Amino acid sequence: QVQLVQSGAEVKKPGASVKVSCKASGYSFTSNYMHWVRQAPGQGLEWMGRINPNSGDTNYAQKFQGRVTMTRDTSISTAYMELSRLRSDDTAVYYCASGTDAFEIWGQGTKVTVSS
Amino acid sequence: DIVMTQSPLSLPVTPGEPASISCRSSQSLLDSNGFNYLDWYLQQAGQSPQLLIYLGSTRASGVPDRFSGSGSGTNFTLKISRVEAEDAGVYYCMQALQNPLTFGQGTKVEI
């Protein structure tokens, strides 16, 4: 079936980097943008950016410019989101999401905890 | 950036009764192609969000017809004709017209 499966929870120290993966199955990985959305504890949804899996072109929210890198490996239908120079307020659940008309498919979320 | 504002932020509802959530955008979401780039998502407790409505009024696959979306430009509404217990959660509107995509604050629907 159509699904996005993300990597497991991470605990990082401030200043470190984290790389989250998102493996697509059941549809053509290169057909739709892959977006990344995060949700801090008890907070709403925040769009971080997107990658065109076909071309590798990216668009990032200005808030994350310089700290986020989105990549993909088409051979294994997997997208990656790397966030560097982590701070405590980066503690959140990170989701990948994709779809033809909107975000029809969401990953299960990856909890990233930033703590010293 | 386009600012999305939802109201109310909390909505107690009774099963079988209707419910309505408003979403306003700081800029028109009506594209030159005639489509409004406004989506609605529901996030149930402990779950990933799920798509309910896209392009302002089109129900996503598998979404019950008690959910409907309406509006154009800067004012949009999500309506539930008869609330069921499974409809509890946080509802978000999101504009998909331009980057950065932005979400409303969320409306918590409590049954």
Side-chain angles (χ1 to χ4, degrees):
Chain A
Q1 73 274 31
V2 175
Q3 61 178 354
L4 298 173
V5 178
Q6 299 183 222
S7 49
E10 303 263 12
V11 179
K12 296 290 183 181
K13 293 191 182 302
S17 298
V18 68
K19 190 171 185 177
V20 180
S21 68
C22 171
K23 183 174 176 59
S25 62
Y27 75 99
S28 174
F29 176 66
T30 54
S31 295
N32 303 314
Y33 281 98
M34 186 69 74
H35 299 254
W36 290 88
V37 175
R38 78 176 186 179
Q39 185 171 38
Q43 302 301 307
L45 302 170
E46 181 177 33
W47 183 80
M48 299 180 68
R50 69 179 186 177
I51 183 168
N52 180 331
N54 191 40
S55 65
D57 290 343
T58 55
N59 301 101
Y60 302 139
Q62 187 168 5
K63 174 177 180 177
F64 301 101
Q65 286 276 3
R67 284 208 304 144
V68 70
T69 305
M70 295 178 187
T71 57
R72 91 292 188 215
D73 184 339
T74 56
S75 69
I76 55 172
S77 299
T78 300
Y80 302 92
M81 186 285 298
E82 183 171 20
L83 190 61
S84 63
R85 302 194 299 278
L86 290 169
R87 309 184 292 253
S88 58
D89 61 359
D90 291 319
T91 293
V93 176
Y94 290 76
Y95 295 100
C96 56
S98 187
T100 303
D101 301 298
F103 297 168
E104 289 100 319
I105 321 162
W106 291 73
Q108 82 276 21
T110 296
K111 185 175 183 179
V112 175
T113 303
V114 183
S115 174
S116 55
Chain B
D1 298 1
I2 298 177
V3 177
M4 306 299 292
T5 304
Q6 291 182 229
S7 63
L9 299 185
S10 179
L11 182 61
V13 296
T14 303
E17 294 297 304
S20 179
I21 300 170
S22 172
C23 176
R24 294 187 175 184
S25 57
S26 61
Q27 300 175 36
S28 176
L29 303 183
L30 180 61
D31 196 20
S32 56
N33 61 11
F35 290 106
N36 284 284
Y37 283 83
L38 186 283
D39 306 326
W40 289 97
Y41 295 88
L42 163 62
Q43 187 175 32
Q44 297 170 311
Q47 302 293 314
S48 301
Q50 60 188 89
L51 177 65
L52 295 175
I53 302 285
Y54 62 95
L55 296 177
S57 60
T58 304
R59 266 191 307 277
S61 176
V63 174
D65 60 7
R66 64 179 181 274
F67 290 93
S68 64
S70 63
S72 184
T74 61
N75 288 287
F76 299 88
T77 302
L78 176 71
K79 292 183 179 178
I80 310 173
S81 59
R82 294 174 304 279
V83 172
E84 297 188 6
E86 66 189 38
D87 300 337
V90 182
Y91 290 77
Y92 295 93
C93 61
M94 186 197 83
Q95 67 82 15
L97 180 66
Q98 66 183 50
N99 293 332
L101 307 188
T102 46
F103 292 89
Q105 317 97 300
T107 295
K108 187 172 184 179
V109 170
E110 299 168 298
I111 312 292

